[in-house]
Amino acid sequence: MPGTLYIVATPIGNLEDISLRALRVLKEVALIAAEDTRHSRKLLNHYAIATPLVACHEHNEEARAAQLLVRLQDGADVALISDAGTPAISDPGYVLVRRCRAAGIRVEAIPGPSAVTAALSAAGLPCARFAFEGFLPAKKKAREDLLSALRDEPRTLVFYEAPHRLAQTLEAVARIYGNERPVAVARELTKKHEELFSGSAGDARRHFSGEVRGEIVLLIAPAEKAAAEPADVTAALRRLAAQEDLPPAELVRRVAKTTGVARNAVYQEYLRLKGEKA
Ligand code: SAM
């Protein structure tokens, strides 16, 4: 019987944030593949886990995946962990998972912390839908081009950002999205110096203008649907009335839908136009 590859989430700061199942699996597997074995040894020592470790990081993931696949095919269970949070989320893991699944190896997620979901859950921005963009590009032009391309995104935007670039990024966010766009900055989540800032892009730029330390998640509120101008409603009523012979209620309903303006307001405008004609 081939073994199972377990994708095990580990804490993003606070060592208590690990599930009982994660601890059991890390104890029971034959081998743990870790992004940085020295870093992970601290977590494993804390929980008295003595399972052998091998390194699996972005520079050796292809070669390591081939070796781990052989071990799994031979029947060994293997766990994959990263330095923090959920493997494969802006971390190594995708290559190994893809290879294992292609080879028919069972892959199981042991869910737990991830900075993206932790930040979203506490930021107070809409989170029924969100767009996670991973790390923002390091180069200024590429970063600003990406931010510009996402300006009208109707879902909350979530980015990982390096602390030394945060001030410059917030300056760009305020400029491109406007000073008033709500944002949140989650810094050092679950750690001693945890900070969860929320406010306008302009406020955030001022707040983080000095030296910033720690690990950062940046969230930007969705673009509001641009409110239709009164002139748009008038034009839409005139256009639709000229195109189709609709009863007033249907005319108003359709214009309210296409412009996003309240039905009552559209009806008032309809009455005004009718009065003009009479
Ligand atoms: N796989 C991880 C996860 O599930 O969150 C993410 C790994 S990625 C290489 C590391 C980035 O995640 C950091 O640069 C930071 O943007 C974010 N991050 C990780 N831990 C964090 C924390 N405690 N507070 C805020 N952001 C954190």
Side-chain angles (χ1 to χ4, degrees):
M1 276 286 284
T4 297
L5 174 68
Y6 295 96
I7 308 301
V8 181
T10 58
I12 56 169
N14 188 322
L15 289 190
E16 290 180 13
D17 294 334
I18 187 157
S19 74
L20 296 175
R21 186 169 168 230
L23 292 174
R24 179 178 57 74
V25 165
L26 292 175
K27 269 194 190 122
E28 288 177 0
V29 291
L31 191 63
I32 299 173
E35 195 182 356
D36 176 342
T37 53
R38 273 184 22 197
H39 176 94
S40 293
R41 182 60 70 202
K42 288 183 203 140
L43 173 77
L44 299 178
N45 284 346
H46 184 81
Y47 287 103
I49 295 170
T51 309
L53 280 168
V54 289
C56 180
H57 44 70
E58 60 174 328
H59 304 296
N60 75 350
E61 195 181 353
E62 282 284 352
R64 185 62 87 199
Q67 294 163 358
L68 292 172
L69 193 55
V70 173
R71 291 291 306 267
L72 284 152
Q73 279 164 334
D74 280 351
D77 287 335
V78 175
L80 176 71
I81 59 177
S82 60
D83 285 353
T86 301
I89 306 300
S90 299
D91 262 340
Y94 165 67
V95 172
L96 176 62
V97 169
R98 193 191 50 196
R99 278 201 170 210
C100 286
R101 293 187 64 84
I105 298 289
R106 186 176 169 82
V107 181
E108 272 188 41
I110 311 291
S114 187
V116 51
T117 46
L120 255 179
S121 67
L125 292 177
C127 46
R129 303 189 305 154
F130 63 92
F132 175 53
E133 284 285 326
F135 281 100
L136 272 164
K139 294 224 165 81
K140 188 166 183 262
K141 165 108 177 39
R143 196 162 66 235
E144 297 194 1
D145 285 351
L146 178 69
L147 287 170
S148 299
L150 295 169
R151 187 180 46 204
D152 297 326
E153 171 60 50
R155 297 167 293 178
T156 292
L157 290 164
V158 188
F159 304 95
Y160 287 162
E161 181 56 303
H164 62 278
R165 282 195 288 268
L166 184 69
Q168 209 179 46
T169 296
L170 288 173
E171 187 278 317
V173 170
R175 181 164 27 88
I176 296 166
Y177 292 64
N179 277 320
E180 299 314 315
R181 178 76 72 99
V183 302
V185 177
R187 193 170 69 83
E188 294 287 88
L189 288 169
T190 80
K191 302 188 207 176
K192 190 170 164 202
H193 297 292
E194 170 165 343
E195 176 184 14
L196 190 37
F197 172 95
S198 41
S200 67
D203 289 343
R205 188 186 50 175
R206 282 184 285 279
H207 183 83
F208 292 102
S209 58
E211 190 194 351
V212 181
R213 292 191 177 181
E215 299 195 277
I216 309 276
V217 183
L218 167 65
L219 304 98
I220 304 177
E224 301 238 320
K225 218 173 163 191
E229 297 286 323
D232 297 337
V233 175
T234 312
L237 280 168
R238 286 202 171 116
R239 197 169 47 244
L240 197 57
Q243 281 166 0
E244 287 184 62
D245 189 19
L246 294 169
E250 180 58 14
L251 181 65
V252 168
R253 191 189 70 75
R254 288 204 202 171
V255 170
K257 192 165 176 221
T258 53
T259 59
V261 171
R263 225 184 266 197
N264 191 33
V266 177
Y267 184 59
Q268 294 307 318
E269 180 60 6
Y270 166 80
L271 292 179
R272 193 187 68 75
L273 286 176
K274 209 171 151 208
E276 255 181 19
K277 265 198 203 158

